[in-house]
């Protein structure tokens, strides 16, 4: 990859992001825990798959009570995964293959084992050291703030014996929130940012940013003071580095996420949390409406900004951004077994969510890769890995990558008892049935299909950069939309129902154009009249390049 400073500053718009945890990918030294050296060994696999950006989950020293989101030292590396030198090597090797690397900046909270907290609880009340965190004599302040980890936490306050005071935490009680009202805290975070940016990381996922600042009488989310903190981080990034990116983790409604892009002076990217459950809803309800509805309520974002799209990630499939009725429906449709539920969400991987239905997996990926935004894949979903809902917390979706059908799924040479987590072994999703080695050999595998889709997407910048216009259809089970950028116009159609469907599309403004299906490169009949007729098999989708489009405006229904 070109050095960060030299490449297109909007590179993240064309990226294909792959999310993984170092510990889960490949264990090079045979101690049962994945490591940087192992990840380096598997970069050829990722390059072959076609991804262009690696997002690493937290790898810093940590007591691992929240899988590393409980950071004990921001500028170090957990020795189980290797050394800082190993991380540098990974960065170098990734860059050589044209793969950018983004890491986590856990700005909202630390581990209670962090030296800042250990110092704070011992420091006198009112001192700058004490004020690295948010303290109180009572647990009655900020009552307007909801509890996020509803399965484990009863309050956002926890009593600290040593300090003789309560401290504020939005997540687990061992994760005290830092206090951004203390200017030293921002200075510290800027130091962390500089440390990793200097090493050459290409971007940061800003964890849990809606909760940075608390104010009485509010719900303590998305406050103006929080946006000020983000603008300061961004200003430093822009002033001191080039070609780097911020990805916001703000699990909020689109209109509340919009401010995290600012005027192009906060985050470059932000996850589209509300879209994700609605894609799954559309599939079960067999109507495109939930997707049309949420994208219709998604405000435009600045030119330099981009949505981050995903189907699954390392957390539960969150249902925070749906109505209560929709939540009940999703639970009924996708989590009938109570073990599948966690907090306000569903802890399952992609393949099991759709009953291992290959067509459904392909359909969902077609949306991920063609709706406006940058697609983010969760490791293992490219081969259809399964989960284990009987494991604690979110461990069941964080199992070792399944490389082979052999011992320890080819993930590690350690004795099975030493693994950080046992690979999935059930007959349908276990490593004997689902693994990279077998899928590389099988030209019809999901892995090959994903690789082709990625390759296709990368040939057309319109997917990462183009506008979105929905097309009126005669059939609510069909989602149809245009992506346009420069000379390119792509028509995407998706059948969210299980059965074959006919559809008439209003393509009147494209009279004379010829749709060419993009996977098979097949020419379709020219568009002659108002209505264009297509039929799509159950869960079918198609992308058409419209050739010979006149440059005039369009009558398509624009959102
Ligand atoms: C969001 C992360 O995705 C999740 O895994 C973590 O538990 C919380 N932030 C708290 O850091
Ligand atoms: Ca290891």
């Amino acid at each position: 990859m070109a050095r960060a400073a030299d490449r297109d500053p909007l590179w993240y718009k064309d990226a294909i992001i792959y999310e993984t945890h170092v510990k889960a990918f490949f264990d090079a030294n045979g101690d049962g825990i994945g490591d940087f050296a192992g990840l380096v060994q598997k970069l050829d696999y990722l390059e072959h798959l076609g991804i262009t950006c690696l997002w690493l989950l937290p790898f810093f020293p940590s007591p691992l009570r929240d899988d590393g989101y409980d950071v004990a030292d921001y500028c170090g590396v957990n020795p189980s995964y290797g050394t800082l030198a190993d991380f540098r090597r990974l960065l170098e090797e990734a860059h050589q293959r044209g793969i950018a690397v983004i890491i986590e900046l856990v700005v909202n909270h630390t581990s209670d084992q962090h030296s800042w907290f250990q110092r704070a609880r011992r420091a006198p009340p009112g001192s700058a050291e004490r004020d690295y965190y948010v303290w109180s004599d009572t647990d009655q302040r900020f009552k307007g703030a909801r509890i996020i980890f509803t399965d484990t936490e009863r309050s956002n306050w926890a009593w600290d014996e040593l300090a003789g005071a309560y401290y504020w935490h939005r997540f687990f009680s061992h994760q005290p929130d830092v206090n951004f009202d203390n200017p030293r805290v921002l200075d510290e975070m800027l130091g962390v940012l500089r440390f990793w940016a200097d090493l050459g990381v290409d971007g940061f996922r800003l964890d849990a940013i809606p909760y940075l600042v608390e104010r009485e009488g509010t719900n303590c989310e998305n406050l103006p003071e929080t946006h000020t903190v983000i603008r300061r981080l961004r200003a430093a990034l822009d002033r001191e580095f080039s070609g780097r990116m911020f990805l916001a983790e703000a699990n909020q409604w689109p209109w509340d996420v919009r401010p995290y892009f600012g005027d192009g002076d906060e985050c470059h990217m932000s996850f589209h949390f509300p879209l994700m459950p609605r894609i799954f809803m559309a599939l079960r309800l067999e109507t495109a409406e939930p997707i049309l509805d949420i994208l219709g309520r998604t405000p435009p974002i600045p030119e330099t900004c981009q949505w981050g799209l995903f189907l699954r990630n390392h957390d539960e499939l969150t249902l925070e951004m749906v109505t209560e009725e929709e939540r009940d429906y999703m639970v009924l449709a996708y989590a009938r077994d109570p073990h599948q539920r966690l907090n306000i969400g569903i802890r399952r991987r992609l393949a099991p969510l759709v009953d291992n239905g290959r067509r459904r997996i392909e359909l969902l990926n077609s949306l991920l890769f063609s709706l406006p935004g940058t697609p983010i894949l969760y490791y293992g979903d490219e081969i259809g890995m399964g989960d284990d809902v009987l494991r604690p917390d979110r461990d069941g979706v964080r199992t070792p990558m399944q490389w082979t059908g052999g011992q320890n799924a080819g993930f590690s040479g350690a004795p099975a008892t030493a693994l950080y987590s046992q690979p999935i072994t059930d007959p349908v999703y276990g490593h004997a049935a689902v693994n990279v080695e077998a899928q590389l050999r099988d030209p019809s595998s999901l892995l090959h299909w994903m690789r082709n889709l990625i390759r296709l997407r990368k040939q057309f910048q319109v997917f990462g950069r183009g506008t979105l216009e929905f097309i009126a259809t005669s059939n609510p089970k069909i989602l149809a939309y245009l992506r346009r950028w420069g000379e390119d116009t792509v028509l995407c159609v998706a059948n969210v129902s299980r059965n074959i469907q006919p559809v008439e599309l209003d393509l009147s403004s494209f009279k004379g154009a010829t749709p060419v299906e993009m996977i098979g490169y097949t020419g379709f009949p020219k568009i002659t009249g108002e209505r264009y007729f297509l039929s799509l098999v159950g869960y079918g989708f198609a992308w058409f390049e419209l050739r010979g489009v006149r440059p005039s405006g369009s009558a398509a229904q624009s959102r």
Side-chain angles (χ1 to χ4, degrees):
M1 127 160 317
R3 283 180 37 236
D6 306 333
R7 65 172 172 226
D8 180 348
L10 301 182
W11 61 273
Y12 47 86
K13 290 200 168 204
D14 307 316
I16 313 284
I17 301 180
Y18 188 90
E19 172 193 0
T20 193
H21 202 305
V22 179
K23 75 167 184 192
F25 212 56
F26 188 65
D27 172 22
N29 70 352
D31 65 354
I33 306 169
D35 38 50
F36 288 115
L39 198 45
V40 168
Q41 284 183 36
K42 294 299 183 185
L43 283 174
D44 287 346
Y45 165 76
L46 295 175
E47 185 182 12
H48 179 258
L49 179 59
I51 63 111
T52 65
C53 179
L54 190 56
W55 155 25
L56 296 181
L57 291 167
F59 51 75
F60 318 102
S62 159
L64 298 182
R65 296 176 71 191
D66 184 14
D67 216 358
Y69 282 100
D70 45 336
V71 178
D73 172 7
Y74 284 96
C75 297
V77 160
N78 185 328
S80 304
Y81 312 145
T83 61
L84 199 58
D86 295 329
F87 174 76
R88 275 179 198 267
R89 162 115 201 281
L90 168 71
L91 204 54
E92 220 173 83
E93 295 274 350
H95 285 171
Q96 263 167 30
R97 289 169 174 81
I99 297 174
V101 177
I102 64 178
I103 68 166
E104 295 276 342
L105 193 60
V106 187
V107 264
N108 179 69
H109 48 265
T110 69
S111 160
D112 59 7
Q113 300 307 305
H114 197 289
S115 59
W116 300 342
F117 189 74
Q118 290 305 321
R119 197 177 58 189
R121 58 204 293 236
R122 293 176 172 89
S127 63
E129 286 71 28
R130 173 80 143 218
D131 284 348
Y132 267 48
Y133 295 85
V134 181
W135 299 96
S136 168
D137 293 337
T138 86
D139 58 359
Q140 297 302 304
R141 290 169 65 206
F142 309 139
K143 287 299 236 188
R146 71 195 165 104
I147 289 166
I148 297 169
F149 286 162
T150 48
D151 284 5
T152 42
E153 303 302 325
R154 290 284 154 268
S155 165
N156 288 321
W157 290 106
W159 176 253
D160 185 58
E161 205 52 68
L162 213 60
Y166 292 95
Y167 61 88
W168 180 249
H169 62 89
R170 287 310 298 271
F171 294 92
F172 289 121
S173 60
H174 56 76
Q175 284 167 315
D177 279 34
V178 294
N179 174 19
F180 278 101
D181 287 328
N182 178 351
R184 287 218 207 166
V185 168
L186 181 62
D187 285 346
E188 297 274 11
M189 288 300 173
L190 284 169
V192 176
L193 180 79
R194 288 187 186 109
F195 177 83
W196 294 103
D198 273 335
L199 282 179
V201 306
D202 301 278
F204 299 87
R205 171 187 178 275
L206 303 184
D207 184 62
I209 44 170
Y211 320 110
L212 301 187
V213 180
E214 305 70 38
R215 290 289 178 263
E216 206 56 75
T218 73
N219 66 358
C220 301
E221 300 188 12
N222 313 321
L223 300 185
E225 293 87 343
T226 285
H227 286 284
T228 306
V229 172
I230 298 163
R231 272 196 301 276
R232 296 213 170 122
L233 290 167
R234 173 65 186 268
L237 189 77
D238 284 358
R239 205 170 42 239
E240 298 171 37
F241 305 94
S242 56
R244 316 304 170 94
M245 181 266 276
F246 277 162
L247 166 56
E249 194 227 1
N251 186 357
Q252 301 284 329
W253 292 99
W255 45 95
D256 290 327
V257 174
R258 172 64 188 81
Y260 289 95
F261 294 114
D263 296 322
D265 58 355
E266 290 195 27
C267 296
H268 305 76
M269 288 186 63
S270 182
F271 294 106
H272 201 314
F273 276 99
L275 173 61
M276 181 271 305
R278 283 170 179 80
I279 292 178
F280 287 96
M281 268 176 60
L283 194 68
R284 218 25 109 82
L285 286 167
E286 302 204 344
T287 165
E289 188 47 35
I291 299 173
L292 289 168
D293 175 61
I294 200 67
L295 289 177
R297 292 192 285 149
T298 298
I301 58 177
E303 267 296 292
T304 52
C305 294
Q306 177 80 326
W307 290 106
L309 307 185
F310 63 101
L311 296 169
R312 289 298 301 111
N313 63 17
H314 62 291
D315 289 326
E316 67 275 27
L317 188 169
T318 161
L319 298 175
E320 279 165 281
M321 292 304 123
V322 296
T323 63
E324 240 167 76
E325 204 184 325
E326 290 167 334
R327 195 172 302 147
D328 291 346
Y329 180 76
M330 282 293 289
V331 167
L332 206 70
Y334 289 106
R336 274 180 184 265
D337 173 355
H339 289 113
Q340 296 167 336
R341 305 173 203 159
L342 180 72
N343 299 319
I344 307 172
I346 300 172
R347 49 174 166 185
R348 302 182 73 190
R349 266 189 181 267
L350 178 62
L353 274 168
V354 295
D355 308 322
N356 211 22
R358 173 72 181 265
R359 279 226 167 114
R360 274 174 282 173
I361 296 175
E362 292 180 5
L363 174 69
L364 294 187
N365 276 296
S366 85
L367 298 175
L368 177 71
F369 278 78
S370 66
L371 286 170
T374 290
I376 303 169
L377 295 172
Y378 186 50
Y379 83 95
D381 283 350
E382 76 273 25
I383 55 171
M385 265 170 62
D387 52 42
D388 179 358
V389 297
L390 297 180
R391 300 190 195 193
D393 200 359
R394 291 148 290 179
D395 293 358
V397 300
R398 300 173 180 183
T399 58
M401 179 68 179
Q402 294 172 192
W403 295 105
T404 72
Q407 197 203 347
N408 298 336
F411 157 75
S412 168
T417 48
L419 300 193
Y420 82 90
S421 157
Q422 295 305 307
I424 301 290
T425 49
D426 82 53
V428 178
Y429 301 103
H431 58 95
V434 176
N435 66 72
V436 170
E437 186 182 52
Q439 294 202 16
L440 283 174
R441 279 208 211 153
D442 171 5
S444 317
S445 65
L446 179 61
L447 181 59
H448 274 280
W449 187 87
M450 289 296 295
R451 185 169 169 251
N452 282 338
L453 193 73
I454 292 172
R455 199 160 49 182
L456 180 59
R457 152 111 188 185
K458 280 162 62 179
Q459 281 166 19
F460 293 86
Q461 264 190 320
V462 61
F463 289 119
R465 307 228 178 186
T467 57
L468 170 73
E469 296 163 47
F470 287 112
I471 306 267
T473 77
S474 59
N475 185 339
K477 296 181 192 298
I478 306 288
L479 179 68
Y481 47 101
L482 291 171
R483 302 297 317 277
R484 298 225 236 183
W485 193 66
E487 307 274 277
D488 288 340
T489 303
V490 169
L491 166 67
C492 304
V493 285
N495 174 7
V496 296
S497 88
R498 73 194 64 197
N499 299 310
I500 188 164
Q501 296 291 332
V503 66
E504 281 183 349
L505 302 175
D506 177 1
L507 292 178
S508 47
S509 52
F510 297 101
K511 230 179 244 177
T514 303
V516 178
E517 195 279 324
M518 293 164 77
I519 294 183
Y521 215 67
T522 309
F524 268 57
K526 205 179 240 187
I527 301 166
T528 51
E530 299 263 300
R531 307 256 131 200
Y532 195 77
F533 180 81
L534 283 172
S535 60
L536 286 170
V537 294
Y539 302 128
F541 79 94
W543 297 347
F544 299 97
E545 201 186 344
L546 298 188
R547 295 269 180 88
V549 173
R550 276 175 284 122
S552 62
S554 134
Q557 178 194 341
S558 179
R559 297 231 189 181

